[in-house]
Amino acid sequence: MREVAYHHIQRKISSRELRAGAPVSDVGIAKELGISRTPAREAIHQLVSEGLLESAAGRGVVVITLDRDDIRELYEMREALEGLAARTVAARPPSASEMRDFRSIAAAMTSLVKELETSRKPALDEKQMERFEVADLAFHTYLMKLARNRRNQKAVSGIRLLIRIFAARRRGHSLAVLKQISRDHMGLIAAIKNADPE
């Protein structure tokens, strides 16, 4: 039940049903899920320890509020941790089948580039942007998986979640931006294939 409550609260935060500063109580969560307060309280404590919730004087537990500096710090941490993962993977290149899978995952981005070129629209629409986010997440998640460092993978997942929830919503990427991201992804794959950690 603690896991159910944990994922329920996390989903409400990631969907922005619970916004920054919103209170979260074990009583409310228990009532929503039809469970006792104990697993709801345990889930809340776990999310406080992970940094999605925080104790606020006189207000109980609330969804954290991040400012511009917090977001900048999250991006810096993500850059450092994913850079480490990329160098690790390049230093001991993956198998042929793993490289094939990596290219296949990157192809989802290439497909969006072609789709946008064909449509001649100036930018990705909302649905395409959702597909972009899924494709981008899949690419970076697979990179982290190839690095075979579970602690790093968990840390980056948490950072990405915080960025996704609290960073400003992006408008649809233009063709130029989308092509650059796709080139960056393919360049990273090529560097890994060539065992080039730099």
Side-chain angles (χ1 to χ4, degrees), residues 14-153:
S14 65
S15 68
R16 294 189 172 195
E17 188 179 334
L18 284 173
R19 294 189 174 269
V24 180
S25 75
D26 56 357
V27 174
I29 298 301
K31 187 175 179 181
E32 286 173 23
L33 295 174
I35 62 175
S36 73
R37 289 174 59 187
T38 301
R41 190 177 312 119
E42 290 170 353
I44 288 169
H45 286 311
Q46 183 178 348
L47 287 161
V48 167
S49 72
E50 292 176 1
L52 269 180
L53 302 176
E54 64 186 353
S55 294
R59 296 178 53 215
V61 175
V62 298
V63 178
I64 63 162
T65 302
L66 300 181
D67 62 22
R68 182 181 293 272
D69 286 337
D70 293 319
I71 298 293
R72 180 186 47 75
E73 288 171 5
L74 287 170
Y75 273 106
E76 287 172 355
M77 288 173 61
R78 182 180 157 203
E79 180 181 1
L81 293 173
E82 285 196 36
L84 170 64
R87 288 189 299 276
T88 300
V89 175
R92 47 179 162 81
S95 68
S97 67
E98 288 172 326
M99 289 303 292
R100 221 176 9 259
D101 290 344
F102 207 8
R103 281 190 207 89
S104 175
I105 290 167
M109 193 72 69
T110 311
S111 173
L112 274 169
V113 169
K114 289 178 184 167
E115 195 175 308
L116 194 57
E117 282 177 327
T118 304
S119 73
R120 297 181 185 237
K121 291 180 186 172
L124 296 175
D125 62 27
E126 193 175 327
K127 289 282 185 205
Q128 289 170 321
M129 200 59 192
E130 286 173 14
R131 284 173 44 216
F132 164 82
E133 288 176 357
V134 168
D136 190 54
L137 178 61
F139 180 88
H140 290 274
T141 300
Y142 196 71
L143 171 66
M144 299 307 296
K145 180 183 171 191
L146 289 175
R148 293 176 177 83
N149 182 328
R150 284 177 298 147
R151 288 185 187 277
N152 192 356
Q153 193 170 358

